[in-house]
Amino acid sequence: MKITVVGSHLCPDTLYALCELRKKNVDIDFKNLSASLEGLKEYLSLREGLEIYKDIRENKGIGIPCFILEDGTKTLSLDEVLNK
């Protein structure tokens, strides 16, 4: 299974998720928002259009890490990803 992880190497939650996924030998495509303005723009567009970000937007949060599964499912839950 390949998982796209959208996050930042500056975010402890993102680093934790990457470590846990590597322990499970998951194939990871890491989109580091801190390294690319183009990636950040893409992420902001994604974030604005998804219902899973409603509470995060209202509370002025960032909402990372975000996980995108091979089937296109997007989630903010590492547990959900690890249990697939």
Side-chain angles (χ1 to χ4, degrees):
M1 172 183 355
K2 184 171 190 166
I3 303 289
T4 299
V5 178
V6 181
S8 169
H9 69 279
L10 302 174
C11 170
D13 292 335
T14 299
L15 296 176
Y16 175 77
L18 290 170
C19 287
E20 292 301 304
L21 291 168
R22 286 187 183 116
K23 284 181 192 175
K24 299 277 187 180
N25 294 316
V26 174
D27 186 12
I28 301 167
D29 178 19
F30 179 46
K31 304 289 185 183
N32 185 357
L33 300 178
S34 300
S36 164
L37 288 179
E38 191 60 39
L40 178 59
K41 287 180 193 176
E42 263 182 59
Y43 173 70
L44 291 174
S45 176
L46 170 83
R47 182 181 172 271
E48 291 306 310
L50 291 176
E51 184 65 24
I52 61 173
Y53 282 101
K54 183 177 186 279
D55 290 338
I56 291 166
R57 287 189 304 265
E58 288 173 0
N59 293 305
K60 308 223 186 291
I62 297 172
I64 56 174
C66 175
F67 307 96
I68 305 172
L69 309 181
E70 284 181 314
D71 67 2
T73 300
K74 296 165 185 74
T75 183
L76 301 174
S77 170
L78 176 60
D79 288 336
E80 183 179 334
V81 173
L82 292 174
N83 291 322
K84 287 229 177 216

